[in-house]
Amino acid sequence: MSAPANQNKIIKWVDDRLPIFTLMQHSAIEYPTPRNLNYWWNFGSLAGFMLVVMILSGIFLAMSYTAHVDYAFDSVERIMRDVNYGWLLRYLHMNGASMFFLTVLIHIFRGMYYGSFKAPREVLWWLGILLYLAMMATAFMGYVLPWGQMSFWGATVITNLFSAIPVVGSSIVTWLWGGFSVGNPTLNRFFAFHYLLPFVIFAIMFLHVWALHTVKSNNPLGIDVKGPQDTIPFHPYYTIKDLYGIGLFLMVYLFFVFYYPNLFGEPDNYIPANPMVTPPHIVPEWYFLPFYAILRAVPNKLLGVVMMFSAIIVLFFLPWLDTSRVRSARFRPIYKQFFWIFLADCIVLGVVGANPPEGIYVLMGQIATFWYFFHFLVLLPVLGKVEKTRPLPDSISTPVIKKSMEKA
Amino acid sequence: MRRITVTIVAAAALAAATLGLSPSSASAHEGPALEKQSWSWQGFFGGYDPAALKRGFQVYREVCSNCHSLRLLYYRNLSDPGGPGFSVEEVKKIAAEKEVRDGPNDAGDMFTRFARPSDHFAKPFANDNAARTANNGALPPDLSLIIKARNGGPDYVYNLLMGYKEAPPKMVINPGMQYNTVFPGNQIGMPPPVSEGIVTYADGTKATQEQVAKDIVSFLNWAAEPELVARHTLGLKVLGFLFVLTILFYALKIQIWKRVH
Amino acid sequence: MAHPTTPSPGVPGEDATRRNFLLYATSAVAVSGTALALWPFIHSMNPAADVLALSSSEVDLKPIAVGQSITVTWRGKPVFIRHRTPEEIKAAESVQLFDLRDPQPDSQRAKKPEWLVLVGVCTHLGCIPLGQKSSDPRGDFGGWFCPCHGSHYDTSGRIRKGPAPANLAVPDYTFLTDTTIRIG
């Protein structure tokens, strides 16, 4: 598909030299999208929207923030109290991180339910995991910047993990810290990277969308597009649907920002960092809790670290671990049940991570960790081979045509 | 219709899950249940009561400021909108009650002068070590953020102030400590700060222990969240606007999608 | 029955006008919403409350002897405060306005003739003129001299010679007492 018919002269002049308008036309206006996408497909654009909000609020926060251990905490309080709308910038950024992770997690689970990770979308899936990893690194470093008690001690605990690496572990930790404990050099470099990574995320997101547009979107039925009768142009159908989704989403997000801005947070982080006093319970932000639970489920330090990273690495192999030929869980009645069990398992892991590793939580954490890896490494490969799937419809548009013929 | 229902149910479930998962509510081991109070700033239309904040400031000034700093506040905040509502002249007088260090002057010496509205609240002690020495080794925390820095927020602080009860019979109280129902470990170094008649309110309100505790908590909540009134007001406008915009988006979406259904 | 259609803009029929109205209304609300949403970001760059609070300085004039000048900092800039001698006052008052590039009578520039308060920034390109210390060159008119490009200011701080286009600025100030002023 090429340039639109009613191009004005200026657009054509620019486009002949750098085809940005043709690119927009091709990928945002004409892009053939399956006609049957449901609202679970809104979360990709919602995540992209949140990336923009985070970068915008972050840049304006950075105008007033000072990355030095003696000034960081107070500079954030200055933003809250003295900078015009500073409290809004801060709460947008703080709650935006939670919303960013929420949209991305829903987006990932959508992919797992409908088989969007299967051929030919493996690279698309991998780029997604890279985005998720970059987000986690960015969020981890960002949380250190206000230099509260949780900032400091969370940084201490997580950077200390690398000492588990045999032989070179403690040298690596010293190198990461720039000193012999988390301190000013650490804070400064975390600020530098926290500013940098979102733009790396932006670039990877560009590749992610490019990969998507190369193989085209999946759909709730999980069957391939057979022809133009199965698709509709992205604009205006999905542009308006995405805008509606953004409207709904913004109401939820801004409800938290304006009325319960500290709900997702930890009160201890309103206490300035004190290297001499450890808080009674060191807890990461909620989106790290499942990984925190996996880490602590294993009594061995190195093995715990390995398991925690493996929990993400296993996702890279998902396209091959899931052996089923059928993409969408709509037609996989057994897999569907296990999908919901897996989701529940992740939530259980989150609850375990929020609590101290005592009592019932120890066993819960171990069972939930076991199940997590069992789901990927045993269940999926076996299920794909033995499951009796339901018959797939002929095409995307067949159910639609049938339905409208019944109406007529 | 089904999609909207699903979305709303999902959002509600999400809110419930987050409220359940959020660290502040997750850990039941954090201590005894707090007696919840109703605070004037709760709810969609909640805000601060300037009279209560003025009384709370009087409590801070006469009782708490002897040990506790309020270092993130400036005297000028006392005349900011959404706060206690002192006039600019009153604030100048309040500030001038305290002396602060300044300098060096042209001769190279540090000197003291009266505080101005643009100064931070004066600290009772020069530094943490001096504070500890004056308080049997305990450090009275700064109160600027105390409400946000504790699980349970205003309810926690209120319950703490009201929680100086008789220790249970078998319990050993360490020297210099007091029994308290909500402080972690149930022993606190601070002697009971708030009691009936500890201040004589300028506005004539009866200074019962509950009243004093409520007023100081209200003042401290304002100190921690001075932007609350502005935040709630703007929030109402923003959410209202978004509601209208989302309905418009929805109507437009239905209209456009008619072409393919 | 339901053919997938690539929508063409001008579909005739009653639906068209209704859609257009809805489209315009929605676009208007969305665009204005976006503009309103951008305002907090822009306004956050304006001076913050603590900067605004420090925007005035109070100065005690008692220590300044006749013929002496001091420099204070105000909003990050130098402010010259001079206790003028009677000769300097006379010279300032007797200058003819048509001799001035930027005509201003001395009475407009000094609330009390013996006290001159000026922003010590040359109106040419921003250097700090000399003349505060007794050892400094005063220029041809007994006031201040800017060494950067040779602007001469008189005893009222008015530009007399050189490239500067305007007189040294007089900041907003008030006498709180006979011997203290508040600048800003």
Side-chain angles (χ1 to χ4, degrees), chain B residues 118-130:
Chain B
S118 58
D119 286 323
H120 281 292
F121 267 63
K123 294 198 275 206
F125 303 107
N127 50 59
D128 283 359
N129 291 346

Side-chain angles (χ1 to χ4, degrees), chain A residues 109-125:
Chain A
F109 276 98
R110 182 281 313 261
M112 289 172 69
Y113 188 85
Y114 291 108
S116 308
F117 54 87
K118 289 174 175 294
R121 298 184 179 90
E122 303 94 323
V123 173
L124 174 64
W125 176 253

Side-chain angles (χ1 to χ4, degrees), chain B residues 76 241 245 249 251-252 255 259, chain C residues 7 18 22 26 29 33 49-50 53:
Chain B
R76 59 175 166 82
F241 184 94
L245 182 61
F249 277 143
L252 195 55
Q255 189 69 289
R259 298 181 229 169
Chain C
R18 183 159 162 243
L22 189 55
T26 309
V29 175
D50 56 346

Side-chain angles (χ1 to χ4, degrees), chain C residues 75-163:
Chain C
R75 294 189 181 174
K77 293 175 283 219
V79 168
F80 298 159
I81 303 177
R82 184 158 181 80
H83 195 166
R84 296 197 290 187
T85 64
E87 294 82 19
E88 287 171 347
I89 300 172
K90 190 137 164 290
E93 286 171 348
S94 54
V95 173
Q96 302 281 23
L97 289 185
F98 54 74
D99 274 340
L100 296 169
R101 178 177 305 163
D102 179 11
Q104 258 189 320
D106 186 64
S107 51
Q108 221 175 62
R109 295 176 57 77
K111 290 194 169 153
K112 293 189 191 200
E114 63 272 22
W115 292 108
L116 191 62
V117 182
L118 303 170
V119 178
V121 174
C122 183
T123 57
H124 178 229
L125 289 173
C127 295
I128 302 177
L130 302 170
Q132 289 292 90
K133 294 209 279 277
S134 43
S135 51
D136 278 350
R138 284 253 152 80
D140 296 347
F141 297 85
W144 288 266
F145 172 71
C146 187
C148 292
H149 310 97
S151 294
H152 300 250
Y153 297 90
D154 67 13
T155 54
S156 184
R158 294 173 294 207
I159 182 67
R160 301 298 293 273
K161 190 164 119 176

